[in-house]
Amino acid sequence: MTPSAVATVKVEFMVLMALVFSSPAFGNEECKVVNGFNLCQDAKKIAANTRKDIGVRPQGSEYILHSVHATGMRVISIHESIYSEEDIENLLRATAESSAEREQLKKSIMNQATNRLCESYSVDEFVNDGGSFEVNYKYRDGEIFHTVLAERGFCREIKPTFQPSSPTP
């Protein structure tokens, strides 16, 4: 099994564990019915409809939808970069001279990604009714490096609800 395949299996296992232990059966969240719509069922429908895009790289995008699941009233997706962490570090080194400049550039890029995502979810009916989206970004080599949570009233970068371990060589 290649390191990339091992990393993928580990990510999928961690997603499964996050789903199991954060599901309504564990008391973390109850389903709400708003205007006759069950938000847990809506989350499942959104995830199911989005799965058709798994493995597809939209034109001009640097990310491929890797997986999407629903747990309670939350839709959790993982988007895989076409770049490894090393690729990104090499690009940053070529662009910025000092490590402080590289970190500032990295923060700026993440803030822009968060803001774009939050703008798109701020008008989403599912979110405004009480559902949520958790969007995780991972490097090609498996590590999640950015997570955004969109819920009614706020949208921000958060720590991932799970973190796959590094791939084994």
Side-chain angles (χ1 to χ4, degrees), residues 111-151:
N111 285 340
Q112 289 174 18
T114 299
N115 291 339
R116 274 195 308 273
L117 208 59
C118 290
E119 286 173 14
S120 69
Y121 286 127
S122 67
V123 295
D124 188 271
E125 186 177 355
F126 174 71
V127 170
N128 289 326
D129 284 345
S132 64
F133 289 96
E134 179 180 320
V135 181
N136 297 276
Y137 294 96
K138 72 176 192 145
Y139 293 116
R140 185 181 66 218
D141 48 12
E143 182 184 350
I144 292 181
F145 65 88
H146 189 67
T147 300
V148 177
L149 177 64
E151 292 184 314

Side-chain angles (χ1 to χ4, degrees), residues 59-164:
Q59 186 174 2
S61 176
E62 296 176 349
Y63 296 95
I64 299 166
L65 180 63
H66 179 72
S67 65
V68 62
H69 307 278
T71 179
M73 298 183 296
R74 181 172 293 179
V75 177
I76 301 171
S77 63
I78 299 176
H79 300 261
E80 182 176 283
S81 174
I82 61 172
Y83 302 108
S84 68
E85 184 174 13
E86 183 179 355
D87 294 336
I88 297 296
E89 290 301 321
N90 289 337
L91 287 169
L92 289 171
R93 270 194 282 286
T95 306
E97 290 183 23
S98 72
S99 62
E101 287 176 322
R102 287 191 291 274
E103 282 307 308
Q104 187 60 38
L105 183 57
K106 196 184 282 188
K107 281 183 184 178
S108 174
I109 292 168
M110 293 300 108
N111 285 340
Q112 289 174 18
T114 299
N115 291 339
R116 274 195 308 273
L117 208 59
C118 290
E119 286 173 14
S120 69
Y121 286 127
S122 67
V123 295
D124 188 271
E125 186 177 355
F126 174 71
V127 170
N128 289 326
D129 284 345
S132 64
F133 289 96
E134 179 180 320
V135 181
N136 297 276
Y137 294 96
K138 72 176 192 145
Y139 293 116
R140 185 181 66 218
D141 48 12
E143 182 184 350
I144 292 181
F145 65 88
H146 189 67
T147 300
V148 177
L149 177 64
E151 292 184 314
R152 182 174 45 201
F154 74 90
C155 182
R156 66 181 190 279
E157 180 179 357
I158 63 166
K159 293 203 181 293
T161 56
F162 58 92
Q163 182 62 266

Side-chain angles (χ1 to χ4, degrees), residues 13-31:
F13 176 74
M14 295 305 291
V15 167
L16 178 62
M17 296 311 296
L19 292 174
V20 167
F21 291 111
S22 65
S23 71
F26 285 87
N28 291 345
E29 180 177 70
E30 290 185 28
C31 291

